[in-house]
Amino acid sequence: MKSVSFAPSILSADFSKLKEEVKSVEEVADFIHVDVMDGHFVPNITIGPVVSNSLKRSKEIRIPFSIHLMITDPDKYASEFEVDSEDLIIFHSEVTDNPREMIDKVRGLGCQVGISQKPGGDLGEILPILDELDEVLVMGVEPGFGGQQFMPETLERIEVLRREISDRGLETAVAVDGGMNPSTVVEAVDAGADTIIAGSAVFGREDRVKAVKELRKAVQ
Ligand code: DX5
Ligand code: ZN
């Protein structure tokens, strides 16, 4: 059976008790997903290194972080995030002319590296550098907000990436972010996703453990 990773996104969590929220999914999730937005790259502002680093420094939190930088200047801010070898920093292809340089910079921080793209982006920019990436994050919605409907046309992007990764014998993970629920998760995994990022489908529910378990069950 293919193994699928789950990364609940704190964007839909209660920010007044963030540590407890992260802890509430630790036993069932593989990553905690941290959405960083600057009000420029996307029309919303969330959190930055101050909050992420506070969580990271908490001795009670053990789960790896997947830090999704929806910002125009990852070059300037990526190094502000405290990370270790199991964590992942994801930047967007749209904000750099030299993704290879950005990949090296992020890897130099001692963590894993991912790249993402808005749903209309040119996958041709990512295919040549797949071997340098730990993860490609396919947006299932226009980035900026939780709770949006999955765009089915993005399934094809997952398929293209999965085919290319298999053909070249690479290990790069294909994540999908946005609009995931117990029904869309099945289509995404069938298309080739092996990492599911879900905000409202987890933190919008009273019982977060049950919510993640339901997502997992849907793709077993
Ligand atoms: C959206 C963010 C997502 C968001 C997903 O721009 O990148 O990580 O939290 O939220 P849901 O799962 O509610 O669509
Ligand atoms: Zn995200």
Side-chain angles (χ1 to χ4, degrees), residues 112-138:
Q112 301 185 48
V113 190
I115 200 164
S116 184
Q117 232 178 23
K118 292 181 178 179
D122 175 12
L123 274 186
E125 290 172 10
I126 293 181
L127 298 180
I129 52 170
L130 275 177
D131 57 330
E132 297 179 41
L133 294 160
D134 296 293
E135 179 176 294
V136 179
L137 185 156
V138 174

Side-chain angles (χ1 to χ4, degrees), residues 9 11 33 35 37 68 70 139 143-147 177-179 197-200:
S9 162
L11 185 60
H33 186 75
D35 284 308
M37 304 187 191
H68 183 187
M70 286 164 278
M139 288 304 312
F145 299 92
D177 184 9
I197 296 158
S200 50

Side-chain angles (χ1 to χ4, degrees), residues 73-211:
D73 207 346
D75 193 31
K76 184 169 175 189
Y77 294 106
S79 61
E80 305 275 323
F81 289 85
E82 293 172 15
V83 282
D84 58 42
S85 59
E86 295 204 315
D87 299 321
L88 174 68
I89 291 184
I90 303 145
F91 64 95
H92 269 257
S93 70
E94 295 91 339
V95 298
T96 174
D97 292 331
N98 194 341
R100 280 201 171 86
E101 199 175 86
M102 193 60 214
I103 290 169
D104 287 348
K105 247 187 192 169
V106 173
R107 214 172 275 296
L109 303 173
C111 65
Q112 301 185 48
V113 190
I115 200 164
S116 184
Q117 232 178 23
K118 292 181 178 179
D122 175 12
L123 274 186
E125 290 172 10
I126 293 181
L127 298 180
I129 52 170
L130 275 177
D131 57 330
E132 297 179 41
L133 294 160
D134 296 293
E135 179 176 294
V136 179
L137 185 156
V138 174
M139 288 304 312
V141 299
E142 285 297 336
F145 299 92
Q148 302 181 75
Q149 278 224 327
F150 180 66
M151 298 164 66
E153 61 270 33
T154 61
L155 289 170
E156 203 188 320
R157 299 166 68 77
I158 299 173
E159 285 165 5
V160 168
L161 288 163
R162 172 54 58 206
R163 207 175 308 127
E164 184 78 12
I165 287 166
S166 303
D167 287 354
R168 287 162 59 186
L170 302 174
E171 301 269 300
T172 320
V174 180
V176 58
D177 184 9
M180 288 293 100
N181 61 45
S183 128
T184 54
V185 83
V186 177
E187 298 167 57
V189 169
D190 281 351
D194 51 21
T195 303
I196 302 296
I197 296 158
S200 50
V202 176
F203 287 107
R205 296 269 305 276
E206 198 67 47
D207 188 339
R208 282 70 190 272
V209 170
K210 197 171 164 203

